[in-house]
Amino acid sequence: MLYDEYVKAGSPHGPVLYAVKGEHWNGVSPRFLEFLNKFTFTREMMGYAECGYGIQRHRTFMRNLIISEHELEDRRAGNGLDIDVGCLAMTTRMAMYDLAKIAIRHSRELHPGKKPVALVPTPSWDYRGIFKDVGFDIVYLPIRPKHGWLPDLNEWDSVVQELRQRRDVHIGIAVSNPQHNPTGMQWPTDATAYLLRLCAEESGYLLIDDAYYNVHDPRVPVVNTLKSVLNLFDENEGDNPIVQSGMFERWMATRPFGKQFSCNTMGVAAITTSPMLLRRLARESWINRYHCNTHNAEVMCAWLATREAAEWTLETGMFYTRQKERVRQKLVEAMGWPNESVCVGPSTSYMLFEVPKVYQALENGIDLFRDDLFYATGTLLCASLFNQAAPAPYVRLHLGSHYDVIDEFLRRWQVAGLHYCQSDRFPGKAALFEPLQKQEFRPLVMS
């Protein structure tokens, strides 16, 4: 609707600039495109696949990749604690649906008459959409700027204890997002350990969404949550309360590669879990959908094995780091934002910043700021779409566009008068009839 109104008004400030979701990319690796153009398929890649979690060749490759990149080569799993890795040739959202359906059946069988609850961080990606769709009640675990945009386990525990005192609910599943979308902050391993122990005690399931594990500033050590979780299972050679609870059959880690290589439509991911749960996920997938993307898995496995893929991972990590610092610097030094009101973490392709003060006391102020800024500049940010029960008035910016596009975002904002302490709101739709000054270029000298 916003876009339609803007275009009908003649796109007054220039072409729409979009920075809402990660599905909008300009930076796909040229070497990956060359690799695709030269790739040769065999006939068996073109039919249906019996298993939605990968043919064995792809599963073996992904297992070796996960063991290598998560530093598990020296792990000596106790009896019954060896991992299995699937190669899902579609978006990880589908794997999360499979897990959600298994988890809600388990909760209802274990506690008939109680409402299954999903513990979901906020702000976050749209986990709510998955779990609410299959029947979970959603309870949010807030992440707040006053805690450095990191989980405060005391606050989380207060939420959990309140649930535990109720007789009408059961904690059926919890979500950990260690390289956190949208803040880019890395969660310390004790946050996921808390959720793991909770799920073990409650007979719930745990989802570890490692979507941005290698979308990361390469100068900053990456927090290896998968390894830390397996270390907890392995304590005392596997003879410990977490394993005794059956928790090893109730966790799953997702690792998509579209974000790492700017190619989300490839839809290929590694799914790490126990062998038993992987079989249950595969059966759930088989019941609900056909599997016909094996050619994508073939390409991605072959690409991941190349030196160019590793080099591109480092390049994009530095690219996002530069983009975030560029925006942070302009907001703070030129537009009045306090340092603490701009959140820039080392992971993910996103950052957050607080809405101007004039919008903070308004009902639906986050969405109003998004709309007003769009009418005034033609730049579109993510507001409450992924800020369900928002713990603070922030908007999300995706940094996947080229340098010059991000610079044009910043130029338009400054020309329009965006400032943290601006005295008034932008004029809403009236701004569509007050075109911003266009970007100036030096004149060409013709001989």
Side-chain angles (χ1 to χ4, degrees):
M1 292 169 61
L2 293 170
Y3 178 79
D4 184 60
E5 289 180 286
Y6 186 82
V7 171
K8 285 179 177 176
S11 300
H13 313 304
V16 169
L17 303 181
Y18 181 87
V20 178
K21 290 185 180 181
E23 284 73 18
H24 174 70
W25 300 95
N26 289 322
V28 63
S29 168
R31 285 172 289 182
F32 182 48
L33 296 179
E34 292 171 8
F35 183 85
L36 280 172
N37 287 334
K38 297 175 182 177
F39 196 82
T40 301
F41 290 105
T42 54
R43 286 183 295 177
E44 64 266 23
M45 295 300 109
M46 298 301 161
Y48 287 128
E50 291 291 323
C51 179
Y53 284 79
I55 63 175
Q56 191 58 51
R57 182 171 75 254
H58 299 156
R59 289 174 59 182
T60 299
F61 177 87
M62 287 297 184
R63 177 186 172 88
N64 292 336
L65 181 84
I66 291 296
I67 287 174
S68 172
E69 293 200 347
H70 289 267
E71 303 172 3
L72 302 175
E73 294 94 339
D74 296 330
R75 180 176 185 248
R76 298 294 177 263
N79 185 36
L81 298 179
D82 197 13
I83 60 171
D84 203 351
V85 181
C87 179
L88 184 78
M90 60 183 68
T91 169
T92 53
R93 192 179 184 94
M94 296 297 100
M96 294 176 191
Y97 264 114
D98 293 338
L99 182 69
K101 291 172 184 175
I102 292 169
I104 201 165
R105 284 199 299 269
H106 175 80
S107 182
R108 286 170 173 164
E109 290 167 5
L110 195 66
H111 296 283
K114 291 188 176 183
K115 298 176 184 177
V117 166
L119 294 176
V120 174
T122 185
S124 74
W125 180 75
D126 185 33
Y127 304 110
R128 171 186 176 275
I130 296 167
F131 296 121
K132 192 171 182 64
D133 191 51
V134 302
F136 281 100
D137 280 6
I138 308 301
V139 173
Y140 290 108
L141 299 175
I143 302 169
R144 303 184 190 277
K146 69 179 180 180
H147 302 306
W149 288 108
L150 292 172
D152 176 13
L153 296 188
N154 289 325
E155 183 176 15
W156 283 15
D157 197 54
S158 296
V159 174
V160 168
Q161 295 310 320
E162 187 175 329
L163 285 174
R164 283 177 149 174
Q165 291 170 13
R166 293 173 54 183
R167 295 185 176 182
D168 63 329
V169 300
H170 169 242
I171 298 172
I173 197 163
V175 177
S176 174
N177 182 208
Q179 278 74 34
H180 181 240
N181 171 14
T183 65
M185 302 298 288
Q186 296 198 90
W187 291 4
T189 57
D190 63 349
T192 304
Y194 172 84
L195 295 176
L196 178 72
R197 292 190 178 98
L198 171 66
C199 291
E201 294 167 2
E202 294 289 320
S203 192
Y205 282 72
L206 176 64
L207 167 63
I208 303 168
D209 184 14
D210 253 340
Y212 292 93
Y213 183 75
N214 261 349
V215 186
H216 188 76
D217 183 344
R219 303 167 301 176
V220 178
V222 64
V223 174
N224 191 345
T225 298
L226 177 58
K227 183 176 182 177
S228 72
V229 165
L230 292 174
N231 285 343
L232 292 174
F233 283 121
D234 292 342
E235 284 183 356
N236 197 31
E237 297 182 346
D239 184 13
N240 59 69
I242 295 176
V243 173
Q244 291 163 6
S245 73
M247 190 65 212
F248 195 70
E249 311 299 344
R250 299 198 306 273
W251 69 279
M252 177 182 83
T254 59
R255 174 84 189 277
F257 296 97
K259 294 169 175 58
Q260 190 170 327
F261 298 108
S262 305
C263 58
N264 277 0
T265 52
M266 292 296 294
V268 179
I271 307 295
T272 306
T273 182
S274 73
M276 180 181 292
L277 184 53
L278 188 64
R279 288 196 297 271
R280 296 182 68 192
L281 292 167
R283 176 165 177 77
E284 195 67 42
S285 180
W286 174 253
I287 291 169
N288 289 288
R289 63 189 75 97
Y290 285 119
H291 308 114
C292 51
N293 290 334
T294 308
H295 59 293
N296 280 355
E298 181 77 2
V299 170
M300 185 56 71
C301 289
W303 166 247
L304 283 165
T306 67
R307 179 177 177 178
E308 288 81 2
E311 291 174 348
W312 183 253
T313 299
L314 293 176
E315 290 177 22
T316 51
M318 291 305 299
F319 169 80
Y320 289 127
T321 300
R322 181 269 181 195
Q323 298 278 72
K324 291 177 183 181
E325 177 55 26
R326 172 74 169 149
V327 177
R328 187 206 65 80
Q329 183 181 36
K330 280 288 187 180
L331 287 173
V332 170
E333 296 180 5
M335 290 179 260
W337 259 258
N339 267 307
E340 62 272 17
S341 296
V342 182
C343 178
V344 176
S347 296
T348 84
S349 50
Y350 295 103
M351 63 180 290
L352 291 181
F353 62 91
E354 196 172 18
V355 304
K357 292 176 70 174
V358 68
Y359 286 91
Q360 292 180 22
L362 300 176
E363 185 178 0
N364 300 320
I366 302 173
D367 284 356
L368 284 173
F369 172 64
R370 184 266 321 274
D371 294 357
D372 285 357
L373 184 67
F374 180 71
Y375 292 135
T377 66
T379 63
L380 192 59
L381 305 176
C382 182
S384 61
L385 174 63
F386 288 162
N387 279 306
Q388 314 94 349
Y394 280 68
V395 287
R396 185 180 78 165
L397 174 69
H398 180 250
L399 283 306
S401 298
H402 285 309
Y403 295 133
D404 57 339
V405 177
I406 295 298
D407 283 349
E408 175 64 2
F409 268 89
L410 298 171
R411 187 196 71 83
R412 290 191 196 178
W413 291 352
Q414 285 187 271
V415 172
L418 176 63
H419 196 278
Y420 183 73
C421 295
Q422 62 191 70
S423 57
D424 298 305
R425 285 178 51 185
F426 289 112
K429 294 182 183 180
L432 294 173
F433 306 100
E434 301 173 9
L436 294 178
Q437 178 184 348
K438 296 292 189 293
Q439 189 172 15
E440 294 184 1
F441 300 93
R442 64 178 177 83
L444 292 174
V445 177
M446 306 298 290
S447 59

